[in-house]
Amino acid sequence: MDRRRALLISASGTAVIFAVLLFVVGGRKVLTALRSADPQLVGLVVVAGAGWLSCWGLMLRSILGTLGTPITVLRSLQIYVAVAFANNVTPFGQAGGEPVAAFLISKVTDEPYETGLAGISAVDVLNVVSSVTLILVSVSYYATTTTVAEAVEDAVLSAIGIIVGVGIVLGVGWRYRWSLVSAASRVAAFTASRLVPSSGLDLQIQDRAARFFNHVETIATSPSRLALVLGLSLAGWVLQGVALFIAFQAVGQTVPVAVVLFAVPLGNLAGAAPLPGGLGGIEAAFVAILVPTTGIPAATVTAAVLIHRGVVYWLPVLVGGTVAARFGMSLGRT
């Protein structure tokens, strides 16, 4: 299946989810709430969204600096917003966008592809670590003041279970990385040799893998840089929570800060769905989490979520798409 067809199918899935969501919560009520939104507060949502992008752009700059690829602050922000664009227009969110993002970083910095892949992979992994921390802290605080809804408790436990499972797989994979690389390179070389004459393909694969793993080790063995990027990652998540909090204010509602702080990383887990940037799935997840925890009508919650996601999703798409075009990136060719 080519990339364009995959995008078309995932976009169709997004349209269906939005149609069902608006039918269930009441599309007219959502539209009424959106029309009543305070424009100045919506503007502040944009400011918070820009702050989130800036924090994670600085994360990427710090990580690439650790790998010996110094870039300016402005260039790091340009690269990350283009990376966010790639994540938002490819199915499976970050998982689908990582190869494109790695290609973009390599193209802009003139560094090997393995450097770009190590850099963006480190950003994504550290964002998961900080998101789990934020979920645990905010849910724990929320539980001391309010009875945690069963749906939220199940979502938190499921999220932790998934993340722990992925962590175990990654840990085992890292422990036996060289054996896996050796086996994979032999299979790839054998397959290629059946199609076209090849020479030393297995050694080339092993060399590229070795460079990638060496980059990952470099990042992991820099405690001060790790502390900095984890702080920037956490700040980015908090700013996304602030954006959601202000979005509720814009439609005339106030929600507990702890709720938005765990709702944002929890809802973003739906970004792993085969949808462009999780569009549709994340919105539905937010509504499912926020309605029982806030007691606010579903239509109003949906309106606040659409304002929030209108910034968090569409700001990188519009700005990042422009930057990506300037860098000469084409999703159709990558």
Side-chain angles (χ1 to χ4, degrees):
M1 182 184 297
D2 61 36
R3 188 180 298 275
R4 289 184 178 86
R5 185 178 177 187
L7 288 175
L8 179 61
I9 292 174
S10 61
S12 299
T14 290
V16 170
I17 292 174
F18 271 122
V20 172
L21 175 62
L22 293 176
F23 174 79
V24 171
V25 303
R28 290 185 179 179
K29 292 180 181 179
V30 172
L31 185 58
T32 299
L34 287 173
R35 285 175 174 170
S36 68
D38 185 328
Q40 292 183 333
L41 290 178
V42 172
L44 289 179
V45 176
V46 177
V47 172
W52 150 64
L53 282 171
S54 298
C55 285
W56 287 5
L58 292 174
M59 272 183 75
L60 181 61
R61 176 176 183 266
S62 182
I63 289 170
L64 290 177
T66 302
L67 300 178
T69 307
I71 56 176
T72 64
V73 170
L74 177 60
R75 180 50 60 90
S76 69
L77 298 181
Q78 289 175 328
I79 292 175
Y80 188 77
V81 75
V83 166
F85 161 75
N87 288 338
N88 282 358
V89 297
T90 52
F92 299 102
Q94 292 174 338
E98 272 196 354
V100 179
F103 167 79
L104 173 63
I105 294 169
S106 174
K107 179 181 176 66
V108 175
T109 62
D110 292 323
E111 292 289 340
Y113 179 83
E114 296 79 18
T115 303
L117 185 59
I120 193 60
S121 296
V123 169
D124 291 341
V125 169
L126 291 173
N127 280 338
V128 170
V129 172
S130 62
S131 71
V132 173
T133 302
L134 188 61
I135 290 171
L136 292 176
V137 171
S138 54
V139 168
S140 297
Y141 175 79
Y142 180 69
T144 63
T145 58
T146 311
T147 301
V148 178
E150 185 177 350
V152 175
E153 183 179 355
D154 291 341
V156 171
L157 292 176
S158 298
I160 293 173
I162 292 171
I163 293 169
V164 169
V166 172
I168 292 173
V169 171
L170 291 176
V172 172
W174 180 261
R175 172 67 177 81
Y176 297 101
R177 60 192 182 280
W178 300 118
S179 298
L180 293 173
V181 168
S182 178
S185 62
R186 287 197 299 269
V187 171
F190 174 77
T191 303
S193 67
R194 302 293 296 271
L195 301 174
V196 294
S198 59
S199 175
L201 180 60
D202 56 337
L203 295 178
Q204 294 177 40
I205 294 174
Q206 290 182 42
D207 178 63
R208 285 178 171 269
R211 278 185 280 172
F212 170 76
F213 287 128
N214 287 337
H215 286 327
V216 174
E217 288 177 347
T218 299
I219 297 169
T221 55
S222 179
S224 59
R225 196 65 68 97
L226 272 178
L228 172 62
V229 295
L230 278 171
L232 288 168
S233 175
L234 190 60
W237 283 119
V238 170
L239 282 168
Q240 282 200 48
V242 169
L244 182 56
F245 180 85
I246 298 174
F248 271 102
Q249 294 279 321
V251 294
Q253 299 289 338
T254 299
V255 295
V257 174
V259 170
V260 296
L261 290 181
F262 68 69
V264 166
L266 268 180
N268 272 280
L269 287 175
L275 302 167
L279 185 64
I282 292 178
E283 286 80 0
F286 275 177
V287 172
I289 293 168
L290 290 166
V291 169
T293 54
T294 64
I296 297 172
T300 306
V301 169
T302 303
V305 167
L306 290 178
I307 292 171
H308 170 263
R309 287 286 293 164
V311 171
V312 172
Y313 181 88
W314 289 107
L315 182 62
V317 168
L318 297 176
V319 178
T322 303
V323 173
R326 180 183 175 188
F327 287 151
M329 185 182 81
S330 172
L331 291 177
R333 292 197 302 266
T334 55

